[in-house]
Amino acid sequence: MSEMKFKTNAKCGGCVAAIRSKLNDLMSDSDWSIDLDSPDKILTVKADVSENAVKEALANAGFKAELL
């Protein structure tokens, strides 16, 4: 299993809830997390999914993701 980190434009718990509804279609809740305390709001994904699938899920939730 690989780990990917993305810079996002999430800002709050409401943003995370919107993202959760899309990411949980791809993986379980325990396979990802967002550090809202980080200046870059880092999304960490620990699942066998593609970079594009994660970016598309965030885009569908109305957010941007940039692989770090």
Side-chain angles (χ1 to χ4, degrees), residues 33-61:
S33 63
I34 296 181
D35 181 1
L36 293 178
D37 294 330
S38 162
D40 290 332
K41 312 303 185 207
I42 301 297
L43 165 66
T44 302
V45 174
K46 296 179 182 177
D48 290 324
V49 295
S50 72
E51 171 188 346
N52 287 338
V54 174
K55 286 182 174 181
E56 185 177 318
L58 264 74
N60 288 338

Side-chain angles (χ1 to χ4, degrees), residues 7-40:
K7 176 180 177 179
T8 72
N9 62 336
K11 293 180 174 46
C12 64
C15 298
V16 174
I19 291 167
R20 176 177 288 115
S21 72
K22 301 299 181 184
L23 283 182
N24 284 357
D25 289 341
L26 299 175
M27 64 193 95
S28 74
D29 220 26
S30 62
D31 291 333
W32 65 273
S33 63
I34 296 181
D35 181 1
L36 293 178
D37 294 330
S38 162
D40 290 332

